Each structure stands twice: as structure tokens, then as C-alpha cells.
Amino acid sequence: MTNNLSIIITLFKTPLNRLKILNQYKNYPILIFDQETKNNSEQISKIIDVNFEYFHSNNNLGLCKSTNFLISKVKTKYFLFTQADIKIDENSIENLIKGMNTKENIIFAGPVFNQLKSANEIKQLEQNYKLKSELDASVMLCDLEKVKQIGFFDEDFFLYWEDKDLMERVNKSNFKMIQILNSYVNHDAGKSTPDNTRVRFIRRTNFKYGELLFDFKHKKIRVIKILRQIFQNIFFIPFNLIVLNKANIIENISQLLGIFKFIKFIFLKKKSKNVKIYEKNEHY
């Protein structure tokens, strides 16, 4: 068993049969956080033949909070942040670990997605890595101590754009990100969660919320854009009701809810700041 790497994975209504893929991590400690579910540890243990630590919540805490919780439980030098629709072999994992020592100040190492090379092609590579300003965050090898310095996911995000925010913060730091060209994964995107109306609604709402939150945090927000999108979606809802376009109705309503969720965030943030200032003045 490799002593310097842990596997962390968050689940949200993930079909249990999908978790057979966790057997690929049999030589590493695995930490699982299961959201909006009953305690599934016994059922999971019947499906996978590996040891794991299991945490769960009856509520949907979001990817950011659940991931950060798991990171707080990691005891190894590195952790692999991954998902239940990622297929990777042990050789690729070990190449990610080796890649962390290729350059100084590497905080994240990512693989090549859905593209295998022959042994001869690998030998012909001038170098087996590329420095990157952005990685696909669905699977990344992470240096725990460096992550502690800048944080991982911002918990103001819920489901989307947290990875863009993280990459932006890394690029503003002294740390680097690297893609390892002899490490490969297959990503069967979207298969780790069910695809139904409720899930699509949650995804679209939080995608819009995350987009606006990202713009706000990185000083790109435009009020005119928010107002235009509010009026556009309100305008198209009656039209889509008339033509019975269910997909577009879901899109319109979820976008509005995402915008209002962002406005609520800003309101509560300002209110919280006012409280802090008041409390501080009380001490004088």
C-alpha cells in the first residue's frame, strides 16, 4: 500500500453499482462523503472489496463543503480528488505522484483525458509534463500542505465554478499546476449522478449562481448583465408555457433562481459585514 496518497470522493445520489470502480484504488486509503442519503456504508462494503472511511449527511451540503471536510481528514502527503465516473490505473496514479517532483512549487497534477499513447509514443515525448494555467478538476493529485496554504474549494460556491475560482487563486499564488502526459484517465462524464428533472434543475440553478459568484469574486460582475438576464427569462417563461417546451421552462426558472440566490448571497454578505462593524465599534 502506498503511504503518501489518499483517495477522496464525494457522492450525491450516486447509483451504488457505479461504485465498483472504487476497486481500482485498492492500494490506497479511501475517504467517501455521501450526501443526501441514509448511511450506505454497509451496502457499499458489499459492492467494493477495499477498505474505506465513510462519512455522510442527510442533506446536500454541496461539492465544496463535502470535499473540504474530506480534506480535513487526510493524513497523507498527497490526496487524489476524483469522482465515481473516473477510470484510472495505478501506473497513471504513480506517474502523477512522480510528476509532483518534476518542478518546484507544484500544487496540482492532472492526467490526460480519454487519450492513450503507446509505449513508443511516450518514449518520444521530449518531456512528460506541461505546465498549465488550468486543469480539469474532475480528477487531480493535490499536495496537502500547499492546499492548506491557499485553501481548496471556496464554500460560497455550491456545485459549479468552484474549480475556476480555485485555478484563478492558484495562478495568483506562487504555486504551479502541471499536466502529466503519461498519466491517463477515462471520464464517463455525468454518470456519477442520476439524470432527472430535479437533478438538472439543481445543476442549472447552481451553474448560474456560480457564474455570477465567480464574476463577483474576481471583480467581473456587471449589474446590467444581471438585469438583462432577469427580464429575458421572465419574458420567455409565458412563451415556453404556451408552446409546452418543458426543457426551456426549466432553464428559465432555474436561471432566475440562480440569479436570486446570488442576490441573496450579496444581501446576506453586506448584512454580515454591517453586523461585524457594529460589534467592533461596541468594543470601543
Side-chain angles (χ1 to χ4, degrees):
M1 178 176 288
T2 301
N3 295 321
N4 62 350
L5 176 66
S6 298
I7 310 298
I8 68 170
I9 183 167
T10 64
L11 310 176
F12 173 67
K13 293 187 175 298
T14 304
L16 291 179
N17 65 327
R18 295 292 304 180
L19 299 184
K20 292 178 182 178
I21 202 168
L22 296 184
N23 287 310
Q24 67 189 342
Y25 304 118
K26 62 183 179 180
N27 290 323
Y28 309 96
I30 301 172
L31 290 80
I32 298 173
F33 195 104
D34 202 358
Q35 300 181 81
E36 201 171 293
T37 182
K38 296 179 180 178
N39 189 328
N40 277 331
S41 57
E42 289 188 9
Q43 288 86 341
I44 294 174
S45 65
K46 294 176 182 177
I47 294 172
I48 62 176
D49 189 26
V50 294
N51 294 322
F52 60 92
E53 288 187 70
Y54 181 85
F55 308 91
H56 82 286
S57 169
N58 293 330
N59 301 314
N60 184 4
L61 303 181
L63 177 65
C64 301
K65 287 185 178 180
S66 56
T67 299
N68 289 345
F69 175 85
L70 288 181
I71 292 172
S72 73
K73 301 297 181 182
V74 171
K75 299 180 178 67
T76 52
K77 179 177 175 60
Y78 303 118
F79 64 89
L80 185 73
F81 171 73
T82 187
Q83 299 179 13
D85 50 14
I86 293 289
K87 186 176 182 180
I88 183 171
D89 61 31
E90 191 166 338
N91 185 58
S92 287
I93 294 174
E94 293 301 319
N95 285 339
L96 287 176
I97 295 174
K98 293 176 184 176
M100 295 293 274
N101 300 315
T102 303
K103 303 282 285 185
E104 292 184 2
N105 286 335
I106 302 298
I107 186 171
F108 301 139
V112 176
F113 280 73
N114 304 325
Q115 181 184 347
L116 294 177
K117 293 188 186 321
S118 67
N120 187 49
E121 287 176 308
I122 293 173
K123 288 180 181 179
Q124 292 177 6
L125 291 171
E126 292 184 11
Q127 55 188 24
N128 66 346
Y129 69 88
K130 288 181 182 178
L131 288 175
K132 305 283 284 187
S133 60
E134 187 172 331
L135 294 173
D136 187 323
S138 59
V139 55
M140 297 191 304
L141 184 75
C142 311
D143 186 306
L144 179 63
E145 289 304 315
K146 293 183 176 71
V147 166
K148 287 180 179 179
Q149 293 182 45
I150 69 166
F152 201 66
F153 288 149
D154 183 336
E155 293 185 6
D156 287 337
F157 292 91
F158 186 78
L159 186 59
Y160 290 104
W161 291 83
E162 72 290 328
D163 53 342
K164 300 288 186 184
D165 173 74
L166 176 57
M167 305 298 168
E168 193 84 2
R169 286 186 281 119
V170 171
N171 289 326
K172 291 177 180 177
S173 73
N174 294 323
F175 298 128
K176 305 294 182 184
M177 294 178 285
I178 195 169
Q179 184 180 42
I180 307 304
L181 303 180
N182 60 352
S183 177
Y184 309 102
V185 302
N186 286 321
H187 188 193
D188 197 1
K191 298 300 183 180
S192 59
T193 56
D195 184 18
N196 54 48
T197 300
R198 178 174 178 267
V199 171
R200 288 195 296 272
F201 195 79
I202 291 172
R203 285 174 174 168
R204 295 307 304 159
T205 296
N206 284 287
F207 185 88
K208 175 53 64 178
Y209 167 73
E211 176 190 349
L212 296 175
L213 185 59
F214 177 86
D215 287 346
F216 170 75
K217 286 181 176 287
H218 297 280
K219 305 186 187 307
K220 300 176 182 179
I221 197 73
R222 293 186 300 139
V223 175
I224 188 66
K225 173 183 175 181
I226 297 174
L227 293 175
R228 182 177 68 248
Q229 291 182 354
I230 290 174
F231 288 120
Q232 282 178 341
N233 283 287
I234 290 176
F235 175 80
F236 280 112
I237 286 175
F239 173 77
N240 287 317
L241 282 170
I242 293 171
V243 298
L244 301 177
N245 192 322
K246 181 180 177 181
N248 283 350
I249 293 171
I250 291 173
E251 180 71 16
N252 295 144
I253 296 175
S254 60
Q255 289 229 0
L256 284 172
L257 288 179
I259 293 170
F260 294 144
K261 182 176 180 178
F262 169 72
I263 293 172
K264 179 182 178 181
F265 167 82
I266 295 298
F267 174 78
L268 293 177
K269 188 177 182 68
K270 289 185 176 181
K271 185 177 180 180
S272 176
K273 281 186 175 181
N274 290 336
V275 170
K276 288 181 180 179
I277 292 172
Y278 176 76
E279 290 176 347
K280 183 176 180 180
N281 290 338
E282 283 288 290
H283 290 291
Y284 287 103

